[in-house]
Amino acid sequence: MPCRYQPRSLLELSEDAVASGLVGTCYEAHEMSHRDAAWTQSRTLAFTRHRVRPFWTASVPSPVRRRLLDKCMDRMADAIRDGHAISSAVGNVSLYLLHIMLDTDIRGLRVQLCCYYGCSHQTALFKLLATEAKGLVSLELARQTLFSLDAQLFHKVLLSTTNLKRLVLKNIASDKILKTIGQSCSQLEILDVSHSSQVTDNGIKDLLLQVEIKDKLNHFKRKKIQTTNKMSWWNVIRTLSRKIKVKTVSERSKINNLSFILEYCQQPTKLCSTLYMLNIANTSVTSHGILIALKSIPKLETLGEYCHIGKALELLDKSSIPPTKLQLTMANAFRTTSSRLQLLCNTCTKLNRLTITEPLHSPMMLSQLPKTLTFINLQNVPTDNAWLDGLYKFLSGPQSQNLCELFLKFRREEVLPTVDLNNFLPQLVNLETLSIDGVQSTFHSDCSNIVLKKLEKIQLSNIDNSNTLQQLLECTPSLKVLHVYVCLGLNSSNLIDILNTRETFPAKKFQKV
């Protein structure tokens, strides 16, 4: 159920025109380097960097240059997707674009990697980023097909971008890259490596844990010295005098062998103290890798689109005594059972955004959800009476008082079930967005007492009649967007009558239907 698109602003249209001309300039520079033997690629890139870039730097502020960069990258990505004849030159063209627009004052950058069988310009690109992108706070490298980065070159880029806080490597990350990130990034807050099949549990371990090999005997001696410092010297002498004994040869050999004992230590990397978002959806990471992340990142708020958190929480519950309380504020759960949902509620007490797909738990378990929820998305919800009654009870109870966004998508049935909006809408006083799909929405009783002052957006797949539509408009004075896919019995004259009823719904408050 898509919304209607509003016309773009004059500023956006102007930026699109400038971006189109800028892309054309980069293509001309690329063609000139191939057409004229005197203008080699290195000479052309140097010309754009030293002669063209100063004009753009002096004339266009860095936020505008960043938006222009994004628009130009989008245009080149569209050329690749559409199979345009010039798509093979996009790699070189992106280099010209970055030589023109990139400078140390750019804080965010998104680069569309081009070649399907390995980026032939990866070396030049990373060398440029290492020297010219030192001010980056956000870096996104995007690619539609499988691609592996050069870990050594990427390491140099990360070492130069010391203030990097957001890094997106969709479909191109690997275990080696994660190890490089763990060694180089100390202020990273957001990391997205989703859709990267080469990311495994070993990569998560290298990202979050650094291994140290220590001499266990020296560690034992330091520990003994620390304990003896707390004692008086007289007590130390007395204690040592009791322990002095003549050692046999075998005992001496045992003591000497202690010097060869090594200790394997694991400590969290520096980014564990700053990272709060880790998106590893659609990777090869298992529940054990998720368990490492939950244990190692104390401020972790979300795992992004990852939806198999139930098994990891079970492992965490078995390994932690007393039970661990997580800082997660957002969670996605797939085929959740009653026990796993209960564990999620007990462990993540600060949740404010929750998505449940294909719930296998009892509808009565919804009452266990925390009261902190402001966003809930239930996908593929059963349509039997028990589930509908449990859903009504939850939405009309105290757990849903703070809900601002509610999305319900029911299972497809041959006979469309009916949902009575009057059973839960009056209690959702803070609701701002409502979306219901897969059922027929109706009001079985009078709703004249319902006033939802904050509700601004409604999407309904099916409404039983035009009276329900009119009642819905009457109880939502702040409504801005209304999308109804099917409304039985509604025709043009009924719609005009509904919109022209000033006593119940002022026309000035209605913007779009």
mmCIF file of all heavy atoms in Angstrom, residues 189-225:
data_model
loop_
_atom_site.group_PDB
_atom_site.id
_atom_site.type_symbol
_atom_site.label_atom_id
_atom_site.label_comp_id
_atom_site.label_asym_id
_atom_site.label_seq_id
_atom_site.Cartn_x
_atom_site.Cartn_y
_atom_site.Cartn_z
ATOM 1 N N GLU A 189 30.419 3.639 15.982
ATOM 2 C CA GLU A 189 29.138 3.504 16.674
ATOM 3 C C GLU A 189 28.150 2.642 15.899
ATOM 4 O O GLU A 189 27.335 1.947 16.513
ATOM 5 C CB GLU A 189 28.530 4.891 16.920
ATOM 6 C CG GLU A 189 29.368 5.775 17.825
ATOM 7 C CD GLU A 189 28.769 7.156 17.998
ATOM 8 O OE1 GLU A 189 27.746 7.442 17.313
ATOM 9 O OE2 GLU A 189 29.290 7.943 18.795
ATOM 10 N N ILE A 190 28.204 2.698 14.579
ATOM 11 C CA ILE A 190 27.277 1.953 13.723
ATOM 12 C C ILE A 190 28.087 1.145 12.718
ATOM 13 O O ILE A 190 28.925 1.700 12.006
ATOM 14 C CB ILE A 190 26.310 2.903 12.994
ATOM 15 C CG1 ILE A 190 25.476 3.701 14.003
ATOM 16 C CG2 ILE A 190 25.404 2.129 12.057
ATOM 17 C CD1 ILE A 190 24.595 4.758 13.351
ATOM 18 N N LEU A 191 27.817 -0.154 12.664
ATOM 19 C CA LEU A 191 28.482 -1.034 11.703
ATOM 20 C C LEU A 191 27.427 -1.914 11.046
ATOM 21 O O LEU A 191 26.689 -2.629 11.720
ATOM 22 C CB LEU A 191 29.541 -1.904 12.395
ATOM 23 C CG LEU A 191 30.262 -2.924 11.499
ATOM 24 C CD1 LEU A 191 30.996 -2.228 10.368
ATOM 25 C CD2 LEU A 191 31.223 -3.769 12.321
ATOM 26 N N ASP A 192 27.373 -1.862 9.725
ATOM 27 C CA ASP A 192 26.390 -2.626 8.948
ATOM 28 C C ASP A 192 27.139 -3.494 7.946
ATOM 29 O O ASP A 192 27.731 -2.991 6.986
ATOM 30 C CB ASP A 192 25.438 -1.676 8.227
ATOM 31 C CG ASP A 192 24.283 -2.406 7.554
ATOM 32 O OD1 ASP A 192 24.347 -3.644 7.437
ATOM 33 O OD2 ASP A 192 23.316 -1.742 7.133
ATOM 34 N N VAL A 193 27.136 -4.805 8.179
ATOM 35 C CA VAL A 193 27.765 -5.763 7.257
ATOM 36 C C VAL A 193 26.724 -6.763 6.763
ATOM 37 O O VAL A 193 27.045 -7.910 6.457
ATOM 38 C CB VAL A 193 28.950 -6.486 7.924
ATOM 39 C CG1 VAL A 193 30.079 -5.522 8.219
ATOM 40 C CG2 VAL A 193 28.504 -7.194 9.206
ATOM 41 N N SER A 194 25.491 -6.348 6.688
ATOM 42 C CA SER A 194 24.409 -7.240 6.291
ATOM 43 C C SER A 194 24.592 -7.716 4.854
ATOM 44 O O SER A 194 25.265 -7.078 4.035
ATOM 45 C CB SER A 194 23.063 -6.526 6.437
ATOM 46 O OG SER A 194 23.032 -5.345 5.651
ATOM 47 N N HIS A 195 23.991 -8.889 4.560
ATOM 48 C CA HIS A 195 24.013 -9.502 3.232
ATOM 49 C C HIS A 195 25.432 -9.882 2.784
ATOM 50 O O HIS A 195 25.671 -10.036 1.587
ATOM 51 C CB HIS A 195 23.376 -8.573 2.193
ATOM 52 C CG HIS A 195 21.996 -8.111 2.556
ATOM 53 N ND1 HIS A 195 20.884 -8.908 2.400
ATOM 54 C CD2 HIS A 195 21.557 -6.951 3.094
ATOM 55 C CE1 HIS A 195 19.812 -8.237 2.822
ATOM 56 N NE2 HIS A 195 20.196 -7.059 3.243
ATOM 57 N N SER A 196 26.348 -10.007 3.732
ATOM 58 C CA SER A 196 27.718 -10.427 3.416
ATOM 59 C C SER A 196 27.877 -11.886 3.832
ATOM 60 O O SER A 196 28.059 -12.191 5.011
ATOM 61 C CB SER A 196 28.739 -9.545 4.139
ATOM 62 O OG SER A 196 28.594 -8.191 3.775
ATOM 63 N N SER A 197 27.807 -12.780 2.882
ATOM 64 C CA SER A 197 27.835 -14.210 3.191
ATOM 65 C C SER A 197 29.190 -14.676 3.704
ATOM 66 O O SER A 197 29.287 -15.746 4.303
ATOM 67 C CB SER A 197 27.448 -15.020 1.945
ATOM 68 O OG SER A 197 28.341 -14.747 0.877
ATOM 69 N N GLN A 198 30.249 -13.893 3.484
ATOM 70 C CA GLN A 198 31.576 -14.279 3.939
ATOM 71 C C GLN A 198 31.843 -13.899 5.380
ATOM 72 O O GLN A 198 32.936 -14.133 5.897
ATOM 73 C CB GLN A 198 32.631 -13.641 3.030
ATOM 74 C CG GLN A 198 32.539 -14.087 1.577
ATOM 75 C CD GLN A 198 33.588 -13.429 0.702
ATOM 76 O OE1 GLN A 198 34.475 -12.742 1.184
ATOM 77 N NE2 GLN A 198 33.475 -13.634 -0.593
ATOM 78 N N VAL A 199 30.876 -13.321 6.049
ATOM 79 C CA VAL A 199 31.006 -12.970 7.468
ATOM 80 C C VAL A 199 30.508 -14.142 8.308
ATOM 81 O O VAL A 199 29.365 -14.573 8.161
ATOM 82 C CB VAL A 199 30.216 -11.690 7.800
ATOM 83 C CG1 VAL A 199 30.192 -11.443 9.300
ATOM 84 C CG2 VAL A 199 30.822 -10.498 7.079
ATOM 85 N N THR A 200 31.351 -14.665 9.189
ATOM 86 C CA THR A 200 31.025 -15.819 10.021
ATOM 87 C C THR A 200 31.244 -15.484 11.493
ATOM 88 O O THR A 200 31.587 -14.343 11.849
ATOM 89 C CB THR A 200 31.881 -17.033 9.629
ATOM 90 O OG1 THR A 200 33.261 -16.744 9.924
ATOM 91 C CG2 THR A 200 31.741 -17.335 8.131
ATOM 92 N N ASP A 201 31.092 -16.478 12.338
ATOM 93 C CA ASP A 201 31.329 -16.294 13.772
ATOM 94 C C ASP A 201 32.772 -15.895 14.055
ATOM 95 O O ASP A 201 33.044 -15.125 14.986
ATOM 96 C CB ASP A 201 30.991 -17.584 14.530
ATOM 97 C CG ASP A 201 29.506 -17.904 14.478
ATOM 98 O OD1 ASP A 201 28.725 -17.009 14.089
ATOM 99 O OD2 ASP A 201 29.123 -19.039 14.808
ATOM 100 N N ASN A 202 33.708 -16.431 13.278
ATOM 101 C CA ASN A 202 35.115 -16.073 13.470
ATOM 102 C C ASN A 202 35.348 -14.585 13.219
ATOM 103 O O ASN A 202 36.156 -13.944 13.918
ATOM 104 C CB ASN A 202 36.003 -16.906 12.539
ATOM 105 C CG ASN A 202 36.001 -18.381 12.904
ATOM 106 O OD1 ASN A 202 35.836 -18.751 14.064
ATOM 107 N ND2 ASN A 202 36.172 -19.244 11.907
ATOM 108 N N GLY A 203 34.657 -14.030 12.232
ATOM 109 C CA GLY A 203 34.793 -12.605 11.975
ATOM 110 C C GLY A 203 34.261 -11.762 13.117
ATOM 111 O O GLY A 203 34.871 -10.744 13.492
ATOM 112 N N ILE A 204 33.119 -12.168 13.692
ATOM 113 C CA ILE A 204 32.572 -11.446 14.844
ATOM 114 C C ILE A 204 33.536 -11.524 16.030
ATOM 115 O O ILE A 204 33.742 -10.547 16.764
ATOM 116 C CB ILE A 204 31.195 -12.020 15.220
ATOM 117 C CG1 ILE A 204 30.208 -11.846 14.062
ATOM 118 C CG2 ILE A 204 30.658 -11.357 16.477
ATOM 119 C CD1 ILE A 204 29.938 -10.410 13.688
ATOM 120 N N LYS A 205 34.150 -12.670 16.202
ATOM 121 C CA LYS A 205 35.115 -12.845 17.290
ATOM 122 C C LYS A 205 36.333 -11.953 17.088
ATOM 123 O O LYS A 205 36.814 -11.305 18.036
ATOM 124 C CB LYS A 205 35.534 -14.318 17.365
ATOM 125 C CG LYS A 205 36.387 -14.677 18.557
ATOM 126 C CD LYS A 205 36.648 -16.175 18.580
ATOM 127 C CE LYS A 205 37.482 -16.556 19.795
ATOM 128 N NZ LYS A 205 37.746 -18.022 19.819
ATOM 129 N N ASP A 206 36.856 -11.890 15.867
ATOM 130 C CA ASP A 206 38.008 -11.028 15.589
ATOM 131 C C ASP A 206 37.642 -9.553 15.683
ATOM 132 O O ASP A 206 38.497 -8.714 16.002
ATOM 133 C CB ASP A 206 38.565 -11.329 14.196
ATOM 134 C CG ASP A 206 39.182 -12.718 14.110
ATOM 135 O OD1 ASP A 206 39.602 -13.236 15.162
ATOM 136 O OD2 ASP A 206 39.210 -13.288 12.997
ATOM 137 N N LEU A 207 36.388 -9.221 15.380
ATOM 138 C CA LEU A 207 35.944 -7.833 15.454
ATOM 139 C C LEU A 207 35.874 -7.334 16.891
ATOM 140 O O LEU A 207 36.289 -6.201 17.185
ATOM 141 C CB LEU A 207 34.574 -7.698 14.781
ATOM 142 C CG LEU A 207 33.852 -6.353 14.936
ATOM 143 C CD1 LEU A 207 34.555 -5.278 14.122
ATOM 144 C CD2 LEU A 207 32.388 -6.474 14.509
ATOM 145 N N LEU A 208 35.379 -8.167 17.773
ATOM 146 C CA LEU A 208 35.058 -7.724 19.129
ATOM 147 C C LEU A 208 36.065 -8.150 20.188
ATOM 148 O O LEU A 208 36.074 -7.578 21.283
ATOM 149 C CB LEU A 208 33.669 -8.246 19.521
ATOM 150 C CG LEU A 208 32.525 -7.844 18.591
ATOM 151 C CD1 LEU A 208 31.225 -8.494 19.027
ATOM 152 C CD2 LEU A 208 32.372 -6.332 18.532
ATOM 153 N N LEU A 209 36.891 -9.141 19.892
ATOM 154 C CA LEU A 209 37.829 -9.652 20.883
ATOM 155 C C LEU A 209 39.245 -9.627 20.327
ATOM 156 O O LEU A 209 39.476 -10.007 19.178
ATOM 157 C CB LEU A 209 37.468 -11.085 21.290
ATOM 158 C CG LEU A 209 36.092 -11.297 21.919
ATOM 159 C CD1 LEU A 209 35.833 -12.775 22.156
ATOM 160 C CD2 LEU A 209 35.953 -10.507 23.219
ATOM 161 N N GLN A 210 40.183 -9.163 21.130
ATOM 162 C CA GLN A 210 41.583 -9.206 20.759
ATOM 163 C C GLN A 210 42.296 -10.225 21.649
ATOM 164 O O GLN A 210 42.071 -10.299 22.852
ATOM 165 C CB GLN A 210 42.234 -7.836 20.905
ATOM 166 C CG GLN A 210 42.130 -7.214 22.296
ATOM 167 C CD GLN A 210 42.706 -5.822 22.332
ATOM 168 O OE1 GLN A 210 43.152 -5.311 21.311
ATOM 169 N NE2 GLN A 210 42.712 -5.202 23.510
ATOM 170 N N VAL A 211 43.139 -11.020 21.030
ATOM 171 C CA VAL A 211 43.790 -12.125 21.710
ATOM 172 C C VAL A 211 45.180 -11.699 22.154
ATOM 173 O O VAL A 211 45.932 -11.077 21.394
ATOM 174 C CB VAL A 211 43.874 -13.356 20.782
ATOM 175 C CG1 VAL A 211 44.610 -14.496 21.478
ATOM 176 C CG2 VAL A 211 42.485 -13.787 20.357
ATOM 177 N N GLU A 212 45.513 -12.031 23.393
ATOM 178 C CA GLU A 212 46.837 -11.769 23.935
ATOM 179 C C GLU A 212 47.390 -13.055 24.530
ATOM 180 O O GLU A 212 46.693 -13.758 25.263
ATOM 181 C CB GLU A 212 46.792 -10.675 25.004
ATOM 182 C CG GLU A 212 46.389 -9.304 24.472
ATOM 183 C CD GLU A 212 46.419 -8.246 25.555
ATOM 184 O OE1 GLU A 212 46.810 -8.586 26.701
ATOM 185 O OE2 GLU A 212 46.063 -7.090 25.265
ATOM 186 N N ILE A 213 48.652 -13.350 24.214
ATOM 187 C CA ILE A 213 49.348 -14.502 24.775
ATOM 188 C C ILE A 213 50.288 -13.999 25.871
ATOM 189 O O ILE A 213 51.219 -13.231 25.602
ATOM 190 C CB ILE A 213 50.130 -15.269 23.697
ATOM 191 C CG1 ILE A 213 49.204 -15.649 22.537
ATOM 192 C CG2 ILE A 213 50.784 -16.503 24.286
ATOM 193 C CD1 ILE A 213 48.084 -16.575 22.925
ATOM 194 N N LYS A 214 50.062 -14.403 27.108
ATOM 195 C CA LYS A 214 50.843 -13.930 28.252
ATOM 196 C C LYS A 214 51.585 -15.081 28.902
ATOM 197 O O LYS A 214 51.174 -16.235 28.817
ATOM 198 C CB LYS A 214 49.926 -13.258 29.285
ATOM 199 C CG LYS A 214 49.216 -12.009 28.767
ATOM 200 C CD LYS A 214 48.363 -11.397 29.855
ATOM 201 C CE LYS A 214 47.679 -10.122 29.361
ATOM 202 N NZ LYS A 214 46.830 -9.514 30.422
ATOM 203 N N ASP A 215 52.681 -14.736 29.564
ATOM 204 C CA ASP A 215 53.436 -15.702 30.353
ATOM 205 C C ASP A 215 52.710 -15.892 31.676
ATOM 206 O O ASP A 215 52.614 -14.971 32.489
ATOM 207 C CB ASP A 215 54.857 -15.193 30.584
ATOM 208 C CG ASP A 215 55.749 -16.271 31.194
ATOM 209 O OD1 ASP A 215 55.216 -17.229 31.764
ATOM 210 O OD2 ASP A 215 56.982 -16.139 31.083
ATOM 211 N N LYS A 216 52.201 -17.084 31.884
ATOM 212 C CA LYS A 216 51.381 -17.327 33.068
ATOM 213 C C LYS A 216 52.203 -17.216 34.343
ATOM 214 O O LYS A 216 51.706 -16.787 35.379
ATOM 215 C CB LYS A 216 50.732 -18.708 32.981
ATOM 216 C CG LYS A 216 49.659 -18.949 34.022
ATOM 217 C CD LYS A 216 48.920 -20.238 33.764
ATOM 218 C CE LYS A 216 47.783 -20.408 34.763
ATOM 219 N NZ LYS A 216 47.028 -21.658 34.502
ATOM 220 N N LEU A 217 53.503 -17.607 34.295
ATOM 221 C CA LEU A 217 54.347 -17.526 35.483
ATOM 222 C C LEU A 217 54.556 -16.080 35.904
ATOM 223 O O LEU A 217 54.464 -15.740 37.084
ATOM 224 C CB LEU A 217 55.691 -18.199 35.213
ATOM 225 C CG LEU A 217 56.693 -18.179 36.385
ATOM 226 C CD1 LEU A 217 56.108 -18.906 37.591
ATOM 227 C CD2 LEU A 217 58.007 -18.811 35.973
ATOM 228 N N ASN A 218 54.811 -15.189 34.928
ATOM 229 C CA ASN A 218 54.988 -13.776 35.251
ATOM 230 C C ASN A 218 53.704 -13.182 35.802
ATOM 231 O O ASN A 218 53.732 -12.365 36.722
ATOM 232 C CB ASN A 218 55.421 -13.002 34.005
ATOM 233 C CG ASN A 218 56.815 -13.381 33.546
ATOM 234 O OD1 ASN A 218 57.618 -13.867 34.353
ATOM 235 N ND2 ASN A 218 57.104 -13.161 32.270
ATOM 236 N N HIS A 219 52.581 -13.595 35.241
ATOM 237 C CA HIS A 219 51.295 -13.127 35.752
ATOM 238 C C HIS A 219 51.083 -13.599 37.186
ATOM 239 O O HIS A 219 50.599 -12.855 38.037
ATOM 240 C CB HIS A 219 50.175 -13.632 34.847
ATOM 241 C CG HIS A 219 48.806 -13.253 35.325
ATOM 242 N ND1 HIS A 219 48.343 -11.964 35.314
ATOM 243 C CD2 HIS A 219 47.800 -14.020 35.857
ATOM 244 C CE1 HIS A 219 47.116 -11.933 35.807
ATOM 245 N NE2 HIS A 219 46.766 -13.162 36.141
ATOM 246 N N PHE A 220 51.518 -14.838 37.476
ATOM 247 C CA PHE A 220 51.388 -15.379 38.826
ATOM 248 C C PHE A 220 52.280 -14.614 39.804
ATOM 249 O O PHE A 220 51.884 -14.290 40.921
ATOM 250 C CB PHE A 220 51.759 -16.854 38.829
ATOM 251 C CG PHE A 220 51.769 -17.495 40.199
ATOM 252 C CD1 PHE A 220 50.582 -17.809 40.831
ATOM 253 C CD2 PHE A 220 52.964 -17.753 40.856
ATOM 254 C CE1 PHE A 220 50.583 -18.387 42.084
ATOM 255 C CE2 PHE A 220 52.967 -18.328 42.108
ATOM 256 C CZ PHE A 220 51.780 -18.650 42.730
ATOM 257 N N LYS A 221 53.518 -14.270 39.364
ATOM 258 C CA LYS A 221 54.428 -13.523 40.229
ATOM 259 C C LYS A 221 53.893 -12.137 40.512
ATOM 260 O O LYS A 221 53.961 -11.646 41.632
ATOM 261 C CB LYS A 221 55.803 -13.436 39.570
ATOM 262 C CG LYS A 221 56.552 -14.759 39.529
ATOM 263 C CD LYS A 221 57.898 -14.580 38.867
ATOM 264 C CE LYS A 221 58.684 -15.901 38.864
ATOM 265 N NZ LYS A 221 60.003 -15.740 38.191
ATOM 266 N N ARG A 222 53.362 -11.453 39.471
ATOM 267 C CA ARG A 222 52.812 -10.112 39.678
ATOM 268 C C ARG A 222 51.651 -10.143 40.654
ATOM 269 O O ARG A 222 51.489 -9.264 41.497
ATOM 270 C CB ARG A 222 52.349 -9.516 38.341
ATOM 271 C CG ARG A 222 53.491 -9.121 37.420
ATOM 272 C CD ARG A 222 52.996 -8.205 36.308
ATOM 273 N NE ARG A 222 51.967 -8.852 35.510
ATOM 274 C CZ ARG A 222 52.236 -9.544 34.422
ATOM 275 N NH1 ARG A 222 53.490 -9.702 34.015
ATOM 276 N NH2 ARG A 222 51.265 -10.089 33.740
ATOM 277 N N LYS A 223 50.842 -11.184 40.566
ATOM 278 C CA LYS A 223 49.698 -11.307 41.468
ATOM 279 C C LYS A 223 50.170 -11.503 42.903
ATOM 280 O O LYS A 223 49.609 -10.930 43.835
ATOM 281 C CB LYS A 223 48.823 -12.469 41.018
ATOM 282 C CG LYS A 223 47.537 -12.603 41.806
ATOM 283 C CD LYS A 223 46.679 -13.708 41.219
ATOM 284 C CE LYS A 223 45.374 -13.820 42.028
ATOM 285 N NZ LYS A 223 44.511 -14.889 41.490
ATOM 286 N N LYS A 224 51.252 -12.309 43.087
ATOM 287 C CA LYS A 224 51.766 -12.536 44.427
ATOM 288 C C LYS A 224 52.369 -11.266 45.002
ATOM 289 O O LYS A 224 52.227 -10.954 46.181
ATOM 290 C CB LYS A 224 52.823 -13.646 44.389
ATOM 291 C CG LYS A 224 52.285 -15.008 44.028
ATOM 292 C CD LYS A 224 51.320 -15.536 45.068
ATOM 293 C CE LYS A 224 52.028 -15.905 46.360
ATOM 294 N NZ LYS A 224 51.102 -16.500 47.341
ATOM 295 N N ILE A 225 53.044 -10.469 44.124
ATOM 296 C CA ILE A 225 53.642 -9.227 44.594
ATOM 297 C C ILE A 225 52.571 -8.240 45.022
ATOM 298 O O ILE A 225 52.695 -7.549 46.030
ATOM 299 C CB ILE A 225 54.531 -8.620 43.489
ATOM 300 C CG1 ILE A 225 55.755 -9.512 43.264
ATOM 301 C CG2 ILE A 225 54.974 -7.209 43.847
ATOM 302 C CD1 ILE A 225 56.608 -9.078 42.098
#
